[in-house]
């Protein structure tokens, strides 16, 4: 059977199975376990309503526990064992890893990524959001800047590989250098700065996201505050920096952290651009080097990423709980 | 809106210009690759895509037959027309010479109407006298004037005098006169450059879809993406309803858990889950990818849908409850249809994410080439084996980008709405 047919059958089975599960479990709950037709009908309905939420969330929670909660523990446990998974080495994978030059390069580059990408994407996003706010063709412009969001990281890497190509008749960067009389360079091999050329791909992709969120936030600012500032004689820059930005700091922070988290997950760009060569490795791509080869080391890297993400996770939970109250 | 107080028209011009500049920077890379996907490899290496609307100068090698060569003084001469002599249709078709030469290194060294000659000259190379071939262009019918040094910077000695080897004169219409110091008994080789009109083809697309197995990869991607989009919606919708409208003790805990899991990096799940899949017999398979994508999309799905559902009017749901509807009925008959925008938002996210994913596909799908999805195909195969073949690479990229771009432009409204609801506030 061709995979696509299997896929369609799977959809049918899965959807029917889910619907069937929910319908059947509700039926069993209402009719079999707590039948309403008996003497203590009211108590039975109340009891059924105590159980029902659990029926509703059970499949989702199963997925979450098996595929997201168990692996956190599982990865940590696995990282305590050696390559073959037989010998317990304690924190050996971690000490070995931290002593390695390659890991430190990846960690350093990842710190660069975490600083530069969210900052640049948020900056460009805010810039575009503000500039297009009153523009007649603003929506079209936003649409164009939002577009890279739909492209895969691999596709985006290819697009930019073409821009960075060494041949001045192919790569537009080197064509410009050629135009002003400079020798062509392979920007992906320029030590240190190559990281920024790769990072810019991520900025290119994430600016649209920042722009959409910040644009909505700018629109949500109460008009009166701006009008008051205009009457008081504030110039457009003062209005932007002193009236608008302070009112959307919360949203800027959200955009910033969301992109930061994404940066810690994406290995595709480095993988497709340089394969981690020329000192461009970051943690996610470093991990993929060891995936399938040394699971002990790979899980250790994954756990380091997890630890880096944890503060954001805690902060999110605290925020969510505060909101619910 | 330009006359609002505090808004100066000068500023408005600057704003317009900056936005145009930003949009251009954002668009140019994609446009460049798109244009290149319709060009042949020859054209891509000959001229940048930004000049693709103009003719490119292409070099050709022509060997006119030696018949008709005659002796004039101490030289042998061959005359004729290069376009008549060429068998290459492209050369014959262009009909105009823009440059010519004697070596493939410099195929367009001389302008039409001039003479390009090769002499054997004596040079001083690190203090020693040496011989070398020197090619030189000069007006037809005149003697060449030799430069002081050759291209390596060695001094050219004019005593002994340079020895004539061969020369060729080519007119713009292809008429040529070839002179040689020795008898012409083989067809001489002349290089010319001629303009080739811009040419856009679908050959790259045809090639990757027929012989490079991109069609198989496309189907695999589709096979991964569709179930991985549909299944999580069904599972998450029920959970989101429970977390939004049903009262139970652990609700707050579960909501916090979902919010926390939103940021868990995928990397952490790879090794334990692959091991688990192998132990229960799923192994590396499509089923494994569907399950993984379903689970990885679950936190966002629950979060988005719950946020939307909780905003539905309380009256409707309470009225239904008073009328005796069960939770199951309320969910399927009222909440689900009303939540369509949120379902659409999530569906787009999940579809784009699963379609574009490389990591999960690499880890959870078999590594044989017949189950590669497009991202794996491009990253692991084409970028390596067809590294410099930009036409093919560009076409492959656009085959993989086309569907998400179509979805993006058709459903942008829902995507924006989903983004706004999904960012933790």
């Amino acid at each position: 059977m061709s995979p696509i047919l299997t896929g369609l059958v799977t959809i049918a089975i899965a959807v029917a199975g889910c619907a069937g599960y929910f319908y059947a479990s509700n039926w069993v709950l209402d009719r079999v376990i707590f039948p309403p037709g008996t003497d203590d009908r009211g108590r039975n309905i109340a009891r059924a309503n105590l159980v029902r939420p659990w029926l509703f969330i059970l499949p989702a929670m199963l997925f979450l526990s098996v595929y997201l909660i168990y692996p956190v523990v599982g990865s940590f446990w696995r990282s305590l064992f050696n390559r073959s998974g037989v010998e317990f080495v304690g924190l050996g994978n971690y000490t070995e890893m931290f002593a390695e030059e390659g890991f430190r390069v990846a960690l350093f580059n990842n710190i660069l990524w975490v600083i530069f990408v969210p900052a640049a994407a948020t900056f460009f996003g805010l810039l575009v959001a503000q500039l297009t706010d009153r523009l007649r063709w603003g929506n079209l412009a936003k649409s164009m800047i939002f577009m890279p969001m739909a492209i895969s990281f691999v596709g985006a890497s290819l697009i930019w590989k073409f821009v960075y190509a060494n041949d001045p008749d192919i790569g537009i960067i080197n064509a410009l250098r050629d135009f002003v009389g400079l020798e062509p360079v392979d920007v992906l091999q320029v030590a240190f700065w190559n990281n920024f050329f790769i990072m810019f791909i991520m900025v290119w992709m994430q600016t649209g996201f920042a722009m959409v969120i910040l644009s909505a936030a700018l629109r949500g600012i109460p008009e009166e505050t701006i009008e008051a500032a205009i009457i008081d004689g504030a110039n457009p820059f003062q209005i932007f920096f002193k009236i608008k930005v302070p009112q959307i700091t919360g949203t800027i922070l959200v955009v910033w952290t969301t992109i930061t988290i994404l940066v810690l997950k994406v290995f595709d760009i480095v993988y497709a651009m340089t394969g981690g060569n020329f000192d461009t490795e970051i943690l996610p791509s470093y991990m993929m080097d060891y995936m399938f080869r040394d699971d002990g080391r790979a899980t250790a890297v994954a756990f380091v990423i997890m630890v880096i993400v944890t503060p954001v996770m805690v902060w999110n939970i605290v925020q969510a709980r505060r909101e619910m109250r | 809106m330009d006359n609002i107080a505090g808004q100066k028209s000068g500023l408005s011009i600057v704003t317009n210009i900056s936005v145009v500049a930003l949009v251009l920077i954002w668009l140019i890379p994609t446009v460049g690759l798109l244009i290149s996907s319709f060009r042949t490899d020859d054209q891509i290496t000959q001229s940048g895509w930004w000049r693709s609307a103009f003719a490119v100068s292409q070099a050709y090698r022509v060997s006119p037959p030696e018949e008709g060569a005659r002796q004039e003084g101490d030289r042998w001469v061959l005359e004729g027309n290069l376009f008549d002599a060429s068998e290459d249709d492209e050369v014959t078709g262009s009909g105009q010479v823009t440059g010519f030469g004697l070596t493939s290194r410099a195929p367009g060294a001389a302008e039409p109407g001039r003479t390009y000659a090769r002499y054997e000259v004596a040079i001083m190379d690190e203090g020693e006298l040496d011989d070398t071939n020197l090619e030189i262009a000069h007006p037809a019918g005149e003697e060449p004037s030799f430069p002081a040094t050759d291209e390596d910077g060695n001094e050219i000695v004019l005593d002994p005098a340079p020895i004539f080897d061969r020369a060729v004169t080519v007119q713009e219409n292809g008429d040529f006169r070839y002179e040689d110091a020795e008898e012409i008994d083989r067809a001489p080789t002349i290089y010319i450059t001629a303009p080739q009109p811009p040419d856009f083809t679908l050959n790259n697309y045809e090639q990757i879809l027929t012989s490079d197995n991109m069609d198989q990869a496309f189907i695999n991607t589709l096979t991964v993406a569709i179930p991985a989009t549909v299944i999580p919606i069904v599972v998450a919708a029920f959970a989101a309803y429970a977390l939004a409208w049903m009262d139970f003790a652990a609700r707050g805990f579960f909501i916090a858990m979902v919010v926390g899991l939103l940021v868990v990096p995928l990397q952490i799940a790879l090794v334990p889950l692959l091991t688990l899949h192998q132990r229960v017999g799923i192994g590396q398979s499509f089923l494994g990818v569907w399950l993984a994508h379903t689970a990885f999309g679950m936190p966002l799905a629950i979060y988005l849908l719950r946020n939307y559902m909780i905003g539905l009017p309380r009256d409707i749901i309470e009225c239904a409850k008073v009328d005796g509807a069960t939770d199951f009925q309320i969910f399927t008959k009222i909440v689900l249809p009303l939540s369509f925008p949120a379902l659409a938002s999530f569906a787009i996210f999940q579809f784009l994410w699963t379609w574009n994913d490389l990591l999960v596909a690499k880890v959870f799908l078999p590594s044989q080439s017949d189950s590669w999805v497009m991202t794996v195909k491009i990253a692991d195969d084409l970028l390596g084996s067809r590294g410099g073949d930009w036409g093919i690479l560009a076409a492959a990229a656009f085959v993989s980008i086309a569907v998400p771009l179509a979805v993006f432009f058709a459903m942008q409204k829902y995507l924006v709405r989903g983004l706004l609801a999904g960012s933790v506030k």
Side-chain angles (χ1 to χ4, degrees), chain B residues 362-385:
Chain B
K362 246 177 101 69
V363 174
F364 288 101
L365 273 184
S367 49
Q368 294 91 344
S369 65
D370 56 356
S371 47
W372 278 347
V373 295
M374 285 191 286
T375 46
V376 177
K377 169 95 188 155
I378 293 174
D380 282 355
D381 182 33
L382 294 181
L383 271 179
S385 66

Side-chain angles (χ1 to χ4, degrees), chain A:
Chain A
M1 196 156 48
S2 77
I4 190 118
L5 207 64
T6 329
L8 291 175
V9 172
T10 310
I11 294 180
I13 293 176
V15 172
C18 283
Y21 158 78
F22 288 115
Y23 186 81
S25 60
N26 269 281
W27 189 83
V28 170
L29 188 68
D30 288 335
R31 296 294 150 90
V32 182
I33 307 180
F34 301 117
T38 51
D39 296 338
D40 44 9
R41 165 184 198 156
R43 214 182 58 166
N44 265 358
I45 290 181
R47 271 196 199 147
N49 282 345
L50 273 183
V51 179
R52 201 180 330 271
W54 296 95
L55 292 181
F56 271 53
I57 63 168
L58 183 70
M61 289 308 148
L62 269 181
F63 267 111
L64 290 181
S65 356
V66 175
Y67 279 82
L68 286 168
I69 299 175
Y70 153 70
V72 176
V73 184
S75 270
F76 180 66
W77 184 243
R78 180 66 186 81
S79 72
L80 302 178
F81 289 82
N82 71 344
R83 172 186 300 221
S84 59
V86 186
E87 191 192 331
F88 185 85
V89 293
L91 295 176
N93 280 318
Y94 293 90
T95 51
E96 211 174 282
M97 189 168 75
F98 276 98
E100 200 191 75
E101 177 69 19
F103 176 79
R104 279 188 303 214
V105 169
L107 193 63
F108 173 75
N109 287 340
N110 225 146
I111 293 170
L112 281 185
W113 276 69
V114 165
I115 294 169
F116 179 76
V117 175
T122 313
F123 169 77
F124 281 119
L126 190 56
L127 188 70
V128 177
Q130 167 65 20
L131 291 181
T132 54
D133 202 27
R134 291 271 161 83
L135 220 54
R136 207 169 304 141
W137 56 291
N139 278 339
L140 179 73
K142 279 197 228 169
S143 201
M144 294 296 111
I145 286 179
F146 196 26
M147 186 259 317
M149 183 111 207
I151 297 175
S152 62
F153 293 114
V154 174
S157 304
L158 207 77
I159 287 173
W160 283 89
K161 236 183 164 144
F162 192 69
V163 171
Y164 294 154
N166 215 352
D167 183 340
D169 277 329
I170 296 177
I172 200 156
I173 298 275
N174 277 314
L176 290 176
R177 284 180 65 93
D178 193 58
F179 185 71
V180 295
L182 291 169
E183 287 289 302
V185 287
D186 190 342
V187 292
L188 294 180
Q189 295 189 29
V190 181
F192 183 68
W193 296 107
N194 51 6
N195 282 302
F196 288 87
F197 285 101
I198 300 176
M199 281 185 241
F200 189 74
I201 304 173
M202 193 68 173
V203 174
W204 180 73
M205 300 185 76
Q206 291 306 312
T207 294
F209 163 74
M211 176 200 71
V212 165
I213 309 265
L214 294 172
S215 181
L218 284 177
R219 293 253 162 100
I221 293 176
E223 280 289 324
E224 306 88 75
T225 59
I226 298 165
E227 275 163 23
I230 294 174
I231 291 166
D232 288 348
N235 68 36
F237 292 99
Q238 286 173 323
I239 293 174
F240 181 68
F241 287 109
K242 300 214 166 129
I243 309 290
K244 287 186 173 175
V245 171
Q247 295 194 63
I248 57 167
T249 328
T251 316
I252 293 180
L253 208 59
V254 168
V255 170
W256 196 294
T257 45
T258 310
I259 299 177
T260 308
I261 296 292
L262 190 70
V263 164
L264 288 166
K265 293 183 191 174
V266 173
F267 92 109
D268 321 32
I269 297 182
V270 168
Y271 183 78
M273 290 303 277
T274 58
N277 292 315
F278 320 118
D279 282 348
T280 56
E281 200 84 277
I282 57 174
L283 291 180
S285 63
Y286 180 81
M287 182 202 165
M288 277 312 277
D289 288 349
Y290 287 95
M291 185 84 205
F292 302 121
R293 287 202 294 125
D294 182 351
D295 283 351
R297 175 71 69 90
T299 46
V301 183
F303 201 76
V304 169
I305 300 176
M306 181 70 210
V307 169
I308 299 176
V309 169
T310 306
V312 181
M313 187 197 258
V314 172
W315 188 73
N316 275 357
I317 294 175
V318 171
Q319 289 295 107
R321 295 214 77 124
R322 187 178 301 160
E323 215 170 84
M324 269 187 292
R325 238 168 253 147

